[in-house]
Amino acid sequence: NSQAPPIYVLGDSGIGKTEYINALARALEKNLELLSLAGVIAELVGGYPYADIDTKTMDFLPWSGIRRVLESGPAGSIVFFDEMSDAKEDVQAATHQILTHRKFGAVQTPKGTALVAAGNPASISTTGGSLSTPVARRLCQIPWSITLREYTKGSRDEWPAPIIYALPDDWEDRISFWTDLHCSFLEAHPDQWMKDAEPNSSLNGMVLGKSAPSCSSRTWTMAHVLSAAADSLYLSLKAQGDFEAATAAKEARGVLLAGCVGEVAAYQFYSWLRNMDLPDPEKVLADPLNYPDWWRLGVPPRSDQLRTTVSAVVTAALDTDSLPRWNAAWKFLHRTIEGNQESIGAMGAARLAGPLNVPSKLRDWPKEAEGFIRILEESGAIKSV
């Protein structure tokens, strides 16, 4: 996915980070191009300037490894930046375009080209260097470690090949769901939207300072995509009965979130999510008149809980051009009127009634939408239904 961020594997020296990336490339049968950033000049990374006499312009020639990346075709290569934390400031600056757009100099890499980096925390890096904040916010940072048991077993026997799990074909459908959840959290905790890393910010016990993952529009957007991927894999493995792997995928979801926005924000998000006790939007669409049973049992939901649920249900209903799902969402929204919380329901109604969101097979509007017509007309969300 072009929205997925590059991965930065971070950990102690000599624990097999580079070897694992090599093993991963072999297991995936992908071409691996390695470039150690510790001893290169910025032009090797960002492109060497040359004059195009015919057009009387300047452009940038990429590093030679990109030729093999182009030859490998779409999703055929992994570009691996090693020793990234020891890269000089101008070299790190040269990676900005690469990390964001996967473009080397004037050359755009094929779709699906993966970017991976590795490095050490500043406390043990050769130069004492660290990632700049702009670079750190272009990466999902994954802490890497190895246990004594893993080392001795691998040394005595054989290092196991990486276990590869394929994402479900429809995993990207979950991006909008996680976007809604993260945005609802940020609305409740606006202090976690844009927040620089503190001098003592850490990740998995490693004090990283400004190099640590931190909150920004970019890192939260990265988190939407990676959370969707991990959650889709979790649901798929759970459905297959592979509960051990499913648990690992669920844990990975938390690691990926912390690697994007930082441990503090990730902890606060999951604490918020547990306290919300949100219903599954698919179950709501399957039984919109009875599930969840908030109002039926006389215990109305909190406004933040209902607002997030409404957003998630509407998003799920609009994932496909499905008239039954669209109608089911209206039935659920109508319950907010019955529960005297129609102002929250109207937020979802405005999205459902949007001209781009009305199902193509619609003939007559459901009666449940009638209760929102006045509110939508007064707000200007619609002219008439």
Side-chain angles (χ1 to χ4, degrees), residues 287-298:
D287 188 12
L289 298 181
N290 297 298
Y291 186 81
D293 55 8
W294 291 323
W295 298 286
R296 190 161 52 84
L297 296 180

Side-chain angles (χ1 to χ4, degrees), residues 24-47:
L24 187 64
R26 289 194 298 271
L28 291 169
E29 298 182 340
K30 292 182 182 292
N31 170 54
L32 180 70
E33 294 298 330
L34 186 150
L35 181 62
S36 177
L37 298 185
V40 301
I41 59 175
E43 288 78 6
L44 187 63
V45 180

